[in-house]
Structures are given as C-alpha cells and as structure tokens.
Amino acid sequence: MINPPRIVGHRGAKANAPENTLVAIRRAHEEGATWIEFDAKLTKDNAVVLMHDETLDRTSNGKGPVAEATLAEIKKLDAGAWFGPAFKGETIPTLEEAMALMASLGMGFNIEIKPCPGREAETAERACASVLANWRGPTPIVSSFKRQSLAAAQATAPSLPRGYLAEELGRSWRADAEALGCVAIHPGWKHLTRQLVRDIKEAGMKALVWTVNEPARARELVAWGVDSIITDRPADIAKALAG
Ligand code: G3P
Ligand code: MG
C-alpha cells in the first residue's frame, strides 16, 4: 500500500537549503532523494503552507504567528536569505506549489501536519483535501504528533495512509496507532531500540525514523529493519548506506 524509500529528505534537504521551501525540495532531488518530509500549517485565511515553527521569525524575514498572517502577507516574505545570501528571494510555498514541483520531479512525500494550537483538526482536513484534489503521484503518508490531527485525517480522508509520530514510543503506541488506522510509525531515533523496531514490523507497520544525520546511526537503524531514514543530508546518508 505504501512504499516509502530508504531515504526521505527532512524538510526538503534541511542541511543544505532553507527548510520547507521549493529550493529545499529541488536540493533533496539533486541529492538523490525520491521522497521528502515537510511540515504543513494553516495561514490566517486557511491556506496550507510549508512551515515548521508557530511563528515566522526563524525561517523568514517576517514576525509573529503564522496563524495571524494571511497568505498574501506570507507570500511577501523572504524565506531564503536567513539561510544564506544565495537563497534570497525564496518564498514560503503553499502545499499546492510544493506538490506541483514534486510531481514535476517525480518525487513522493510524507506530509507532517504541524498545526498551530487549536487548529489540529482543520489543518489536517484542509491539507488532506488538497492532497486528494491535487496529487496524482506515489501514495503519500500523512503523519502528525497530534492525535487529533490524525483522527481528523482518518475521518475526512481515510484513503490517505497515516503515520504515527512520536519522539519516544510510549506503552500504548501500538493500540493508539491501530485505533487511528496508522500504517506507519515515525519514531525519533534517540529512544528507539532494536526490539521496538521488531515490534513495529511485527505489527505490520512501516518504520520511518527521524532525524538521522550520522552515517553510523543510519547503518545501524537499517540493520535493525527500519524502512526509511528521514535525514537533513540525503546524499551523505545514501553514500553511507551504499558503502
Ligand atoms: O516528521 C519527522 C520530523 O520532522 C518530526 O519533527 O520537529 O522536525 O517536524 P520536526
Ligand atoms: Mg517535520
């Protein structure tokens, strides 16, 4: 049903391009990644945009909460210069713009629903509706740390596969993920064990682990049976896994 590749670029290719932008998607593609992970949020006027933080401050020349800015206001911002002068002029992309680029590059994706507080359900609903309306590429994965977002995705877009995100898997991860109809588990690498990877596979789910930038760690995780490594450095990790 889902077939995520061994390497998934994190926020595009976060180490080498401004995260969650079109140039970061292109960079991931240049580094050989066939899928990327990115974060999705709603603007004040309900557009779905690629953005990690609740505020605009760190990754653009804007200020204040994303949830209080309209798409027109957000589109005037520079989302590249903070990363390096070569990226000046890059803008915050909409989900539709990102999907159009990924389609043209033949890529696939994991969309992480990263709602602003109080917008858990509507962020998932609007993002999933846009994916269903616009995406014709490889089956994506919709993931979130927010159970309410996964439940909204399950209720309104059940055909889109869901991924259960957690920094650390608690005791009830399997029951919780199954209740939400998840087909993948996305744990952070720090608390992951070989046994937990066995348990995920035994549950019949994919394991996509983040954010892995150390070659030795990536090799170990793959040896444990992890399906996908979500990394800021797709080319380096691909090289490590090949060698
Ligand atoms: O989806 C994996 C990873 O991106 C989750 O953490 O904070 O980088 O969105 P974060
Ligand atoms: Mg993310």
Side-chain angles (χ1 to χ4, degrees):
M1 190 184 174
I2 50 166
N3 196 20
R6 181 72 81 209
I7 289 174
V8 176
H10 185 231
R11 306 185 203 170
K14 180 176 171 281
N16 295 314
E19 63 189 65
N20 287 323
T21 63
L22 297 184
V23 74
I25 297 173
R26 279 191 213 99
R27 174 71 195 215
H29 181 253
E30 284 161 17
E31 291 197 25
T34 56
W35 271 43
I36 60 151
E37 182 267 6
F38 58 87
D39 307 292
K41 263 193 175 44
L42 290 180
T43 64
K44 183 179 184 180
D45 49 349
N46 293 323
V48 185
V49 292
L50 273 58
M51 175 63 63
H52 180 273
D53 296 2
E54 273 174 39
T55 65
L56 296 158
D57 302 42
R58 182 178 61 88
T59 57
S60 82
N61 60 350
K63 288 218 178 312
V66 180
E68 288 174 18
T70 63
L71 180 61
E73 287 163 348
I74 279 177
K75 272 295 175 190
K76 288 183 193 139
L77 301 176
D78 188 301
W82 69 274
F83 190 85
F87 299 100
K88 190 172 181 309
E90 198 64 25
T91 60
I92 295 170
T94 63
L95 173 57
E96 285 188 25
E97 289 168 340
M99 286 192 291
L101 175 59
M102 290 185 287
S104 76
L105 295 173
M107 298 180 84
F109 64 88
N110 163 206
I111 176 170
E112 182 192 338
I113 308 297
K114 190 78 114 183
C116 292
R119 308 190 84 184
E120 289 81 4
E122 59 179 325
T123 306
E125 287 164 17
R126 289 183 186 273
C128 289
S130 178
V131 171
L132 288 174
N134 297 296
W135 182 252
R136 299 289 170 266
T139 305
I141 302 176
V142 179
S143 63
S144 190
F145 289 105
K146 299 293 180 188
R147 309 307 170 225
Q148 211 185 327
S149 297
L150 290 173
Q154 181 182 28
T156 63
S159 65
L160 290 177
R162 288 169 297 287
Y164 181 93
L165 249 174
E167 169 95 43
E168 181 173 10
L169 296 176
R171 279 167 194 263
S172 63
W173 67 266
R174 182 169 175 174
D176 294 348
E178 285 177 350
L180 291 161
C182 293
V183 295
I185 305 292
H186 300 218
W189 66 265
K190 283 181 195 155
H191 305 281
L192 195 62
T193 62
R194 183 189 284 264
Q195 185 57 49
L196 273 168
V197 175
R198 280 198 199 111
D199 294 344
I200 293 168
K201 303 310 296 176
E202 200 265 327
M205 298 187 190
K206 300 279 186 187
L208 293 83
V209 182
W210 53 276
T211 302
V212 183
N213 295 323
E214 292 295 326
R217 177 71 55 187
R219 281 195 290 266
E220 179 179 52
L221 288 164
V222 168
W224 287 359
V226 159
D227 296 284
S228 301
I229 301 288
I230 300 177
T231 178
D232 298 332
R233 303 179 174 280
D236 292 348
I237 296 302
K239 200 170 155 202
L241 294 180

